[in-house]
Amino acid sequence: MLNWYEKNKRDLPWRHHSDPYAIWVSEIMLQQTQVATVIPYYLRFLERFPNMASLAKAKESEVLQYWSGLGYYRRARLLHRGVQKVWQENAGILPQEIESLKGLPGIGPYTAGAIASIAFGQAAPLVDGNVVRVLSRYFGLKGHAKSPELLRTLWEIAAILVSPSRPGDFNQGLMELGATVCRTRLPACERCPLAKGCVALNSQDPEAFPETPPLPKTLKLTRLAAVAQRGETILLVQAQHQRWFQGLWGLPGEFLDREADDEGLLSHLSQAYPGLKFSRMVALPATRHAITHHRITTQAWSLQVSGKLTPNPSFKKMRFFPKGALPSLALPNFDRKVLQAGGFCP
DNA sequence: CAATCGTGGCG
DNA sequence: TCGCCAAGATT
C-alpha cells in the first residue's frame, strides 16, 4: 500500500501543506465532494484565509461567500466555528488527541482520523467511502455501504491495518486507491496492488461490493422565484429558518405542490413583502436543479419594484444588492442558475 | 438510528 | 434525460 501510494499519488494542493489548519480545511471541503470539484475552492479559500487567525476573525458571511457553489454550507459554518473555538479556547493550537478533535464542530470520526494521521502522524484509522469500497471488496464483506454493522467492522479492520510508522500515507493510499483504481464503477483491477488477495475480484464481480442501500424516491418540486429590480439593484433575502441554504442570500419566492403561475408569485410577494409594489412581470427561462433527492424546477419572473420595504419576521435580512455585487455574494447555485438564465449575472 | 444536507459529472 | 455517486457530520 505504501509503495503503491508513493508511486501513484496525485499532486494535489493540500499535499503541499504540512500545516494542520490547511489539512483541516481540505478534509472539510472533501466531505462528500470530489477532488476535482474541491481544488479551485480550496485554492481561493486558502488564499483569502491562509491561517486560523484570518478565518477566526472573518465574518460568517464572507466565509459563506468563499464557499458559495460548493454546497453543504453547514460545513463552512461549522469549520468557521471550529476555528474560532480553537483560536479562542486553545490559543490557536489544534489539539492532537482524536477525542479532542471530534469535540470540534464539523469534525466527526473520519475527519478526526484524517487530521490525526495526516497532520500529526498518529496511527489513527479512518473510514470514508473509498475505504468502505476497498476493504469491503478486498475482504468480501457483506452489508450495505452505510450499514452501522459493516462500518463498525471496517473501523476495526482499519485500526489493525494502519501503518504505525506512516499512518498518513497509509490512509491516503487507501483512499487514493479507492478513488483512482478501486472505483465504484469499472474498477481497474489490472492496476490494483491488492488484486492478488481480493475476494471481490476472485468472485468475478468486484462491483457487487459493497452492497448499495435502497435510495429514497426522488421528489419533484416546483419553485416560484422573483428577480425583483429597483433601478440597477435586485432584491435578495437571507435564508434563516428555511430548510435549505441557511445563512445564504437568495431570491425571494416559494415552493409549490402545483403548477407555477405568475399570479401565485404576485400573491406570495405581496404577502411576504408588505409595502412593496411589483410590476412589469416577464417570465424568465425555467431552470432545474437537484438538491439531494429533490428535483426542483424553478420558474422565475423578472419584475420591477417600487414602494418601501417593511421588515418581515420570517427573514433575518432583506436587501437590494447592486447587480455587480451578485458574483461575490454567498448565493447557492440554485439561485445563481436563475440569475444567469435571466442574464443578470455572468 | 435514519434522514438530511448541494453540487457536478458520468454513463 | 435521469439515476447514481463522491475524502461525512449532525440531529
Side-chain angles (χ1 to χ4, degrees), chain A residues 61-76:
Chain A
S61 59
E62 193 182 8
V63 179
L64 287 169
Q65 172 190 327
Y66 279 79
W67 209 273
S68 175
L70 191 55
Y72 283 129
Y73 298 96
R74 186 169 55 179
R75 294 181 299 178

Side-chain angles (χ1 to χ4, degrees), chain A residues 5 14-15 17-31 94-99 101-102 106-131 155 158 162 166-175:
Chain A
Y5 179 64
W14 39 92
R15 291 183 176 158
H17 293 269
S18 56
D19 175 12
Y21 162 76
I23 295 177
W24 183 3
V25 172
S26 75
E27 290 302 337
I28 300 299
M29 285 194 171
L30 285 162
Q31 287 170 8
L94 189 58
Q96 302 201 11
E97 291 299 315
I98 288 274
E99 290 309 316
L101 287 167
K102 277 192 222 172
I107 298 185
Y110 162 79
T111 307
I115 293 174
S117 62
I118 298 169
F120 297 131
Q122 295 183 37
L126 61 75
V127 174
D128 76 327
N130 291 304
V131 177
W155 275 95
V162 64
R166 294 171 58 193
D169 285 347
F170 179 85
N171 285 336
Q172 290 188 85
L174 219 43
M175 294 190 285

Side-chain angles (χ1 to χ4, degrees), chain A residues 198-206 208-209:
Chain A
C198 181
V199 173
L201 176 57
N202 293 326
S203 78
Q204 306 299 321
D205 187 13
F209 297 87

Side-chain angles (χ1 to χ4, degrees), chain A residues 324-336:
Chain A
L326 295 176
S328 62
L329 270 178
L331 290 175
N333 276 6
F334 187 53
D335 281 326
R336 217 174 277 285

Side-chain angles (χ1 to χ4, degrees), chain A residues 247-284:
Chain A
L248 275 71
W249 291 96
L251 296 172
E254 66 173 342
F255 289 93
L256 299 177
D257 52 7
R258 57 180 165 81
E259 198 80 351
D261 64 89
D262 54 352
E263 286 187 16
L265 181 58
L266 276 181
S267 71
H268 167 74
L269 292 173
S270 59
Q271 184 206 325
Y273 308 99
L276 294 184
K277 292 175 182 174
F278 301 92
S279 61
R280 292 174 56 194
M281 297 189 75
V282 179
L284 296 171

Side-chain angles (χ1 to χ4, degrees), chain A residues 60-320:
Chain A
E60 183 179 288
S61 59
E62 193 182 8
V63 179
L64 287 169
Q65 172 190 327
Y66 279 79
W67 209 273
S68 175
L70 191 55
Y72 283 129
Y73 298 96
R74 186 169 55 179
R75 294 181 299 178
R77 292 197 302 276
L78 294 176
L79 170 64
H80 189 213
R81 280 186 226 163
V83 167
Q84 288 181 325
K85 188 172 179 183
V86 171
W87 187 251
Q88 290 160 11
E89 297 178 13
N90 207 29
I93 298 169
L94 189 58
Q96 302 201 11
E97 291 299 315
I98 288 274
E99 290 309 316
S100 306
L101 287 167
K102 277 192 222 172
L104 291 169
I107 298 185
Y110 162 79
T111 307
I115 293 174
S117 62
I118 298 169
F120 297 131
Q122 295 183 37
L126 61 75
V127 174
D128 76 327
N130 291 304
V131 177
V132 169
R133 201 162 51 249
V134 171
L135 295 184
S136 71
R137 285 177 178 170
Y138 186 78
F139 292 106
L141 301 176
K142 293 192 183 292
H144 290 163
K146 293 188 176 177
S147 86
E149 193 182 348
L150 175 61
L151 288 172
R152 272 193 295 274
T153 304
L154 290 170
W155 275 95
E156 289 176 16
I157 294 176
I160 294 169
L161 293 177
V162 64
S163 161
S165 57
R166 294 171 58 193
D169 285 347
F170 179 85
N171 285 336
Q172 290 188 85
L174 219 43
M175 294 190 285
E176 192 84 344
L177 187 68
T180 63
V181 174
C182 194
R183 298 172 296 218
T184 306
R185 282 171 297 193
L186 299 178
C189 300
E190 71 283 357
R191 289 195 280 120
C192 183
L194 306 181
K196 188 175 176 186
C198 181
V199 173
L201 176 57
N202 293 326
S203 78
Q204 306 299 321
D205 187 13
E207 290 188 49
F209 297 87
E211 297 171 34
T212 52
L215 290 173
K217 263 180 65 177
T218 301
L219 300 176
K220 293 185 179 180
L221 295 177
T222 301
R223 184 177 69 132
L224 293 176
V227 182
Q229 301 147 82
R230 191 170 65 188
E232 288 301 303
T233 65
I234 290 178
L235 175 64
L236 296 180
V237 298
Q238 194 173 36
Q240 191 175 33
H241 300 302
Q242 278 87 339
R243 174 177 181 183
W244 292 312
F245 310 123
Q246 283 186 33
L248 275 71
W249 291 96
L251 296 172
E254 66 173 342
F255 289 93
L256 299 177
D257 52 7
R258 57 180 165 81
E259 198 80 351
D261 64 89
D262 54 352
E263 286 187 16
L265 181 58
L266 276 181
S267 71
H268 167 74
L269 292 173
S270 59
Q271 184 206 325
Y273 308 99
L276 294 184
K277 292 175 182 174
F278 301 92
S279 61
R280 292 174 56 194
M281 297 189 75
V282 179
L284 296 171
T287 57
R288 282 179 297 183
H289 191 75
I291 299 177
T292 61
H293 60 285
H294 304 268
R295 296 187 63 78
I296 301 160
T297 301
T298 300
Q299 177 58 59
W301 278 268
S302 165
L303 31 72
Q304 305 299 316
V305 191
S306 60
K308 185 171 162 52
L309 190 58
T310 308
N312 178 312
S314 67
F315 292 106
K316 187 178 179 184
K317 288 181 185 169
M318 302 181 272
R319 264 178 62 185
F320 285 92

